[in-house]
Amino acid sequence: AQSVTQPDIHITVSEGASLELRCNYSYGATPYLFWYVQSPGQGLQLLLKYFSGDTLVQGIKGFEAEFKRSQSSFNLRKPSVHWSDAAEYFCAVGARNDYKLSFGAGTTVTVRA
Amino acid sequence: GAVVSQHPSRVICKSGTSVKIECRSLDFQATTMFWYRQFPKKSLMLMATSNEGSKATYEQGVEKDKFLINHASLTLSTLTVTSAHPEDSSFYICSARREGRGYNEQFFGPGTRLTVL
């Protein structure tokens, strides 16, 4: 069974500063990997995904993530955060056979002026 | 494309009543939909996989008789919380799997906030 660990529960970052959210996964094969963002009281919006190929993935809203097989990681980055980036971020891993997603516990991002 | 809606967005009910939540794929057909539950400040927990025309598959620890799932058409799945109690209060999110070539992504609804008094 797959699992996801997001080590950081809460991150506070200044507007304009860079942001990196960590994600480690456990899966027996090459996984499908996702980052979602959730604003308060809202559903999930897909930021980016990795299926195969180039390990550096570009997403929406200026986000990118890098798949590192040797470290079982899929960290999310943004060079310069905006106040609107304050939200909950979830990393997820999908199995290649049944499409079920396993989510990490989430990281809350607070942006200070 | 790939829009999923949920109705209602928010519901308050009395303890002991049943509540139905609808999940619709608006612009694609979905033979498979998923239901998740999210507690405050917590991750999403998969409750069940809803399969069109057949019984839902529940995750371990989820009460089938408490959370009834019906997937009667290729665009609609419903979750009924029967005899709801305060501990059933939560944010319920559905997703629909869009089939096609390659990996079939899930698209998420906006969620339903259930409060049981």
Side-chain angles (χ1 to χ4, degrees), chain A residues 28-44:
Chain A
T30 301
Y32 296 117
L33 294 163
F34 305 83
W35 274 100
Y36 291 91
V37 61
Q38 184 182 37
S39 297
Q42 303 298 311
L44 300 177

Side-chain angles (χ1 to χ4, degrees), chain B residues 26-43:
Chain B
L26 298 184
D27 50 4
F28 66 100
Q29 294 182 329
T31 57
T32 304
M33 294 184 175
F34 300 90
W35 287 95
Y36 297 84
R37 181 173 180 175
Q38 185 180 31
F39 294 97
K41 306 283 187 187
K42 295 290 186 182
S43 183

Side-chain angles (χ1 to χ4, degrees), chain A residues 80-98:
Chain A
S80 176
V81 299
H82 186 263
W83 64 266
S84 60
D85 293 323
E88 190 80 20
Y89 291 80
F90 292 97
C91 181
V93 59
R96 289 189 171 239
N97 55 351
D98 62 8

Side-chain angles (χ1 to χ4, degrees), chain A residues 3 31 59 63 68 105 107 110:
Chain A
S3 66
F63 285 93
K68 292 186 177 181
T107 298
T110 299

